[in-house]
């Protein structure tokens, strides 16, 4: 809403750097080697080059950008911590755990935000009851794809570190950008393509420096791993409150009345 896609790519490419620091601080992981930092900085440099060749970096939503940079590493490290300490040994158990929590909050937020206007609930029920296959098929497909993404995400998170997972996420977006530039009506200038290729090279270089057992977090006793959980939980709660305040400001509603209305 406040920025453009190019800015999001730069912010997403920046996330692995604070994630590496947080992983070392909260989980006691070894700090990446200098050659690994070279890969992370190359990803960021290529993203900045790509943004410069297109619409540039928009700083209109600076508060949201800072929140994104802070909360994405916290999210990645906290999820990795929960995977290691939850006691759920199967991937499907983790998927059920994740989607149950997300589903409860998703339903709650849907009723509080999306279905709160007059007539919204009646409109949804009418569409579901009369829409037929054209309504239900997309819902079923999105559910199946969502569970599939969750399964493969948890499978990967179990065996790689938080920083490596963030780099993998950036790589997916960079590959999509490259395909878009080469096959569709996107900016196919030399500088734009070079920026994306440079970032992909940085991601590959990082993964090569931590290949083998170095890509995965070291296993440690649960009591030792729990030391950073309190800090991560506090940071996550602060981030949620921060996001709520920013959302209230965007909607033009005074923060106090906005919070009171939704509680």
């Amino acid at each position: 809403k406040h920025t453009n896609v190019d800015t999001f790519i730069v912010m997403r490419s920046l996330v692995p750097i604070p994630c590496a620091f947080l992983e070392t601080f909260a989980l006691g992981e070894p700090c990446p080697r200098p050659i690994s930092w070279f890969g992370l900085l190359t990803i960021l440099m290529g993203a900045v080059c790509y943004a410069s060749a297109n619409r540039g970096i928009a700083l209109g939503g600076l508060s949201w950008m800072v929140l994104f940079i802070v909360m994405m590493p916290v999210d990645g490290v906290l999820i990795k911590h929960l995977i290691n300490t939850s006691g759920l040994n199967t991937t499907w158990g983790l998927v059920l755990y994740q989607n149950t929590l997300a589903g409860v909050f998703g339903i709650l937020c849907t009723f509080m935000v999306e279905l709160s206007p007059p007539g919204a609930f009646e409109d949804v029920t009418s569409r579901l009851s009369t829409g037929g296959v054209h309504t239900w098929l997309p819902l079923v497909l999105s559910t199946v794809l969502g569970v599939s993404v969750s399964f493969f995400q948890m499978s990967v998170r179990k065996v790689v570190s938080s920083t490596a997972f963030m780099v993998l996420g950036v790589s997916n977006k960079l590959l999509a950008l490259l395909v878009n530039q080469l096959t569709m009506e996107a900016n196919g200038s030399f500088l734009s393509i070079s920026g994306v290729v440079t970032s992909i090279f940085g991601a590959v270089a990082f993964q090569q420096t931590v290949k083998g057992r170095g890509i995965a977090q070291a296993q440690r006793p649960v009591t030792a791993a729990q030391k950073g959980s309190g800090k991560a939980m506090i940071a996550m709660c602060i981030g949620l409150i921060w996001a709520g305040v920013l959302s209230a400001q965007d909607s033009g509603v005074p923060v106090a009345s906005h919070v009171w209305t939704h509680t």
Side-chain angles (χ1 to χ4, degrees), residues 19 31 107 136 191 204 222:
C19 187
C31 190
I107 293 173
W136 284 100
L191 184 60
V204 174
V222 173

PDB file of all heavy atoms in Angstrom, residues 19 31 107 136 191 204 222:
ATOM      1  N   CYS A  19      18.558 -11.531  10.561  1.00  0.00           N
ATOM      2  CA  CYS A  19      18.183 -12.879  10.997  1.00  0.00           C
ATOM      3  C   CYS A  19      19.415 -13.657  11.473  1.00  0.00           C
ATOM      4  O   CYS A  19      19.351 -14.386  12.461  1.00  0.00           O
ATOM      5  CB  CYS A  19      17.487 -13.629   9.859  1.00  0.00           C
ATOM      6  SG  CYS A  19      16.809 -15.230  10.347  1.00  0.00           S
ATOM      7  N   CYS A  31      28.181 -17.397  14.606  1.00  0.00           N
ATOM      8  CA  CYS A  31      28.020 -16.303  13.661  1.00  0.00           C
ATOM      9  C   CYS A  31      28.545 -16.741  12.294  1.00  0.00           C
ATOM     10  O   CYS A  31      29.559 -17.447  12.212  1.00  0.00           O
ATOM     11  CB  CYS A  31      28.789 -15.081  14.149  1.00  0.00           C
ATOM     12  SG  CYS A  31      28.454 -13.580  13.217  1.00  0.00           S
ATOM     13  N   ILE A 107     -10.171 -17.067  11.620  1.00  0.00           N
ATOM     14  CA  ILE A 107     -11.631 -17.002  11.734  1.00  0.00           C
ATOM     15  C   ILE A 107     -12.042 -15.830  12.619  1.00  0.00           C
ATOM     16  O   ILE A 107     -12.991 -15.081  12.311  1.00  0.00           O
ATOM     17  CB  ILE A 107     -12.184 -18.325  12.285  1.00  0.00           C
ATOM     18  CG1 ILE A 107     -11.960 -19.451  11.265  1.00  0.00           C
ATOM     19  CG2 ILE A 107     -13.664 -18.204  12.621  1.00  0.00           C
ATOM     20  CD1 ILE A 107     -12.324 -20.826  11.779  1.00  0.00           C
ATOM     21  N   TRP A 136     -16.884 -23.136  -4.940  1.00  0.00           N
ATOM     22  CA  TRP A 136     -16.271 -24.110  -4.042  1.00  0.00           C
ATOM     23  C   TRP A 136     -14.942 -24.648  -4.557  1.00  0.00           C
ATOM     24  O   TRP A 136     -14.040 -24.943  -3.765  1.00  0.00           O
ATOM     25  CB  TRP A 136     -17.242 -25.272  -3.801  1.00  0.00           C
ATOM     26  CG  TRP A 136     -18.342 -24.918  -2.867  1.00  0.00           C
ATOM     27  CD1 TRP A 136     -19.618 -24.571  -3.194  1.00  0.00           C
ATOM     28  CD2 TRP A 136     -18.240 -24.833  -1.447  1.00  0.00           C
ATOM     29  NE1 TRP A 136     -20.342 -24.284  -2.070  1.00  0.00           N
ATOM     30  CE2 TRP A 136     -19.519 -24.443  -0.974  1.00  0.00           C
ATOM     31  CE3 TRP A 136     -17.221 -25.052  -0.533  1.00  0.00           C
ATOM     32  CZ2 TRP A 136     -19.786 -24.266   0.386  1.00  0.00           C
ATOM     33  CZ3 TRP A 136     -17.483 -24.880   0.817  1.00  0.00           C
ATOM     34  CH2 TRP A 136     -18.754 -24.499   1.266  1.00  0.00           C
ATOM     35  N   LEU A 191      20.692  -3.665 -16.792  1.00  0.00           N
ATOM     36  CA  LEU A 191      20.891  -3.370 -15.382  1.00  0.00           C
ATOM     37  C   LEU A 191      19.893  -4.111 -14.511  1.00  0.00           C
ATOM     38  O   LEU A 191      20.246  -4.637 -13.452  1.00  0.00           O
ATOM     39  CB  LEU A 191      20.778  -1.860 -15.147  1.00  0.00           C
ATOM     40  CG  LEU A 191      21.046  -1.378 -13.723  1.00  0.00           C
ATOM     41  CD1 LEU A 191      22.456  -1.750 -13.283  1.00  0.00           C
ATOM     42  CD2 LEU A 191      20.819   0.136 -13.613  1.00  0.00           C
ATOM     43  N   VAL A 204      23.248 -18.350  -3.985  1.00  0.00           N
ATOM     44  CA  VAL A 204      23.958 -19.611  -4.226  1.00  0.00           C
ATOM     45  C   VAL A 204      25.290 -19.620  -3.482  1.00  0.00           C
ATOM     46  O   VAL A 204      25.682 -20.627  -2.874  1.00  0.00           O
ATOM     47  CB  VAL A 204      24.172 -19.831  -5.736  1.00  0.00           C
ATOM     48  CG1 VAL A 204      25.046 -21.054  -5.987  1.00  0.00           C
ATOM     49  CG2 VAL A 204      22.824 -19.982  -6.449  1.00  0.00           C
ATOM     50  N   VAL A 222      16.767 -29.073  25.204  1.00  0.00           N
ATOM     51  CA  VAL A 222      15.618 -28.170  25.199  1.00  0.00           C
ATOM     52  C   VAL A 222      15.804 -27.043  26.203  1.00  0.00           C
ATOM     53  O   VAL A 222      15.458 -25.898  25.954  1.00  0.00           O
ATOM     54  CB  VAL A 222      14.327 -28.957  25.499  1.00  0.00           C
ATOM     55  CG1 VAL A 222      13.145 -28.003  25.656  1.00  0.00           C
ATOM     56  CG2 VAL A 222      14.061 -29.957  24.397  1.00  0.00           C
TER      57      VAL A 222
END
